[in-house]
Amino acid sequence: MIEVIIADDHPIVRAGLKQIIMEQADISVAAEAANGIDLLRQVRERDYDVILLDLTMPGMDGLDVLKQLRIEKPRIPVVILTIHPESQYALRILKAGAAGYLTKASADGELIKAIRKVHRGGKYISPSLAERIAFALDEDTRKLPHETLSDREYQVLCLIGTGKTVSRIADELALSVKTVSTYRTRILEKMRMENNAELIHYAVQNGLVE
């Protein structure tokens, strides 16, 4: 039996994922967590076979949780589930150590395959993402401006790209307005831009936001 723990701050999402898993004879939902801190506490108390981790959660987001899991529990495969389009976070998430990456929209058809594959020691990505990675290998190796950003800076850039204010981003990431403003300043400097309007235009043109 493959024992799975689900970490997502939305009870309805957890219930939907459980429903998909319950139909399988070889997989069970052994535990649930409503946020990253709760997930880390539970995996410290006992081991699970696979972790299903939401990327966007209050307090400690999925990327930070993933990095901590790679330090504390490197042998447990983590499948990231997110509402964000694959082009926005997938490559960064996989480089950070995730064993799989799925959009929630595709979970119904791909979740079980992903759990079984990562449990066997493999990596799982959707066919569309695999194709995108293959094409990326053929492209010029020079980094685009947003690829020079740290993970947190990139996250703030994507949120700015959706038109959110500094205060709104601070609330969403559980950071101070001053901290987010500092990230914004670094982003503008690294990307050699002057204001939010230029950042939004860049994010839209490069497919970083929907």
Side-chain angles (χ1 to χ4, degrees):
M1 182 69 70
I2 302 172
E3 294 191 333
V4 175
I5 181 170
I6 301 172
D8 194 295
D9 60 315
H10 294 99
I12 293 176
V13 173
R14 296 200 304 271
L17 296 173
K18 283 178 66 177
Q19 186 63 42
I20 296 171
I21 293 171
M22 284 171 56
E23 297 174 1
Q24 311 303 314
D26 60 330
I27 310 173
S28 69
V29 176
E32 299 178 40
N35 55 61
I37 300 297
D38 187 27
L39 172 66
L40 290 173
R41 178 186 61 77
Q42 293 195 60
V43 298
R44 286 164 182 156
E45 292 174 354
R46 60 159 289 188
D47 285 333
Y48 298 89
D49 295 313
V50 176
I51 298 170
L52 299 181
L53 176 61
D54 182 25
L55 184 60
T56 307
M57 292 188 294
M60 188 177 187
D61 70 19
L63 185 55
D64 289 337
V65 175
L66 174 62
K67 290 177 179 178
Q68 192 62 33
L69 287 169
R70 293 308 84 204
I71 295 171
E72 296 188 30
K73 297 286 184 175
R75 294 186 179 181
I76 304 179
V78 179
V79 176
I80 295 292
L81 288 164
T82 178
I83 59 171
H84 300 291
E86 290 175 335
S87 59
Q88 193 170 19
Y89 283 105
L91 290 177
R92 283 178 178 261
I93 291 298
L94 293 171
K95 287 179 180 178
Y101 185 99
L102 285 177
T103 61
K104 290 181 180 178
S106 66
D108 190 40
E110 298 182 36
L111 179 63
I112 300 305
K113 290 187 290 184
I115 291 172
R116 288 177 178 149
K117 186 164 186 179
V118 302
H119 181 249
R120 293 194 303 266
K123 299 278 188 179
Y124 187 89
I125 55 176
S126 70
S128 60
L129 179 56
E131 184 178 25
R132 185 174 292 112
I133 291 174
F135 279 119
L137 294 175
D138 292 332
E139 293 177 353
D140 192 335
T141 56
R142 290 176 300 175
K143 284 189 175 182
L144 294 170
H146 68 271
E147 294 176 326
T148 66
L149 303 177
S150 69
D151 289 330
R152 182 66 88 181
E153 289 166 352
Y154 178 77
Q155 187 177 32
V156 172
L157 168 63
C158 290
L159 292 171
I160 291 174
T162 64
K164 292 181 179 178
T165 63
V166 168
S167 58
R168 176 76 180 275
I169 294 170
D171 288 339
E172 190 165 321
L173 299 181
L175 299 172
S176 69
V177 171
K178 182 178 180 180
T179 298
V180 175
S181 294
T182 299
Y183 281 126
R184 175 183 173 275
T185 299
R186 291 179 188 168
I187 293 165
L188 289 170
E189 289 175 352
K190 287 184 178 182
M191 298 183 67
R192 299 181 181 180
M193 294 184 182
E194 298 294 330
N195 51 51
N196 280 16
E198 290 185 17
L199 293 176
I200 292 171
H201 179 71
Y202 178 91
V204 171
Q205 275 205 325
N206 286 274
L208 304 184
V209 296
E210 292 183 297

